[in-house]
Amino acid sequence: MKIVGLTGGIGSGKTTVAKQFMGLGIPVYIADEEAKKLMATSKIIQRKLIQLFGNEAYMNNQLNKPYIANIIFNDKTYLQKMNAIVHPKVAQHFKKWVLKQTSPYIIKEVAILFENGGHQQCDYVITVTAPLKLRMERVLKRDNTTKENVEAIVKNQWTDAEKVKRSHFVITNTDLESTKNQVVKIHNQILKSLA
Ligand code: ATP
């Protein structure tokens, strides 16, 4: 089973591309979604996050995101501490998930794949790119957020150029039709490389 990492900056269209691979029958693991689910369901994670952030880390068994985001905003070391709790659990969950798949390859979508060194565990990496202005417009339309918040996230991510240099495949996601064509082409190239 080959592991294909799918990454790209905020609003580039990773999830959009991931869904197109799903349409071709390829299983997709969306790391951020699984992390969110595990933070809501894993008792071990809950206990450790409460130890780190205090009892207010959870409200009615749900992660108290605004409270945690505020702490992290004021002290970035808390993000690393939180990741040190959540990431090993996601990695464990991913390993088990991979064992259950039967396709020639799977896609693992991770927003900060290179930044966290996760690309080292991938056989191939696909980076999704789009002009920054377009990405900003998409995120502002999709989320209840501000330009400043999105800019802060962009600042914490590698630039497209840095990611592209280290990627096996690049998808330019500006119009959906062209993106789908690129996805099909890459899918066929990956299958061919595995034959
Ligand atoms: P994030 O890093 O924030 O999770 P992402 O890289 O996964 O984002 P998506 O959620 O796939 O990006 O796309 C961001 C928004 O832009 C979504 O609302 C999506 O529907 C829209 N979008 C993505 N690609 C296109 C496109 N080619 N044309 C029009 N809209 C698009």
Side-chain angles (χ1 to χ4, degrees):
M1 171 76 57
K2 298 288 178 191
I3 294 169
V4 178
L6 177 66
T7 193
I10 181 166
S12 58
K14 294 175 292 298
T15 305
T16 303
V17 165
K19 284 182 187 154
Q20 295 181 343
F21 276 99
M22 266 190 244
L24 298 172
I26 297 303
V28 172
Y29 188 93
I30 301 186
D32 284 351
E33 271 180 21
E34 298 301 336
K36 272 183 211 150
K37 280 190 213 159
L38 286 170
M39 283 192 277
T41 56
S42 159
K43 291 289 163 218
I44 299 174
I45 293 182
Q46 284 188 16
R47 184 168 45 76
K48 288 187 178 171
L49 289 180
I50 287 170
Q51 263 171 18
L52 179 65
F53 293 115
N55 282 329
E56 282 169 81
Y58 283 85
M59 269 171 71
N60 307 320
N61 274 330
Q62 290 299 312
L63 194 69
N64 187 349
K65 279 192 224 158
Y67 170 78
I68 291 177
N70 187 44
I71 293 179
I72 290 174
F73 185 78
N74 289 306
D75 183 347
K76 294 281 176 290
T77 65
Y78 276 96
L79 181 60
Q80 284 151 22
K81 290 176 190 162
M82 182 170 169
N83 285 344
I85 293 169
V86 179
H87 283 176
K89 286 280 161 204
V90 178
Q92 222 175 34
H93 181 262
F94 173 68
K95 263 191 183 165
K96 281 194 197 157
W97 178 87
V98 166
L99 290 176
K100 287 188 253 166
Q101 310 309 318
T102 54
S103 57
Y105 73 94
I106 61 95
I107 295 273
K108 184 183 190 188
E109 180 194 321
V110 188
I112 47 170
L113 183 75
F114 287 112
E115 292 87 334
N116 280 342
H119 61 291
Q120 286 156 13
Q121 276 94 51
C122 297
D123 296 285
Y124 294 117
V125 175
I126 303 169
T127 291
V128 184
T129 68
L132 195 54
K133 189 169 169 280
L134 189 56
R135 287 164 51 196
M136 177 67 79
E137 283 166 15
R138 287 175 183 164
V139 178
L140 291 178
K141 197 171 154 197
R142 185 193 61 187
D143 301 340
N144 181 20
T145 188
T146 62
K147 197 168 175 259
E148 289 69 32
N149 279 343
V150 183
E151 276 166 354
I153 293 170
V154 169
K155 247 172 103 181
N156 275 323
Q157 299 181 332
W158 283 19
T159 62
D160 279 0
E162 286 171 303
K163 285 178 242 183
V164 163
K165 250 195 303 196
R166 293 166 178 81
S167 301
H168 302 86
F169 304 101
V170 177
I171 293 175
T172 308
N173 173 37
T174 46
D175 82 282
L176 288 174
E177 192 60 30
S178 149
T179 301
K180 183 69 205 289
N181 291 337
Q182 295 172 71
V183 165
V184 171
K185 200 170 155 196
I186 292 169
H187 172 70
N188 287 330
Q189 279 178 275
I190 295 174
L191 289 182
K192 204 171 158 199
S193 80
L194 304 179

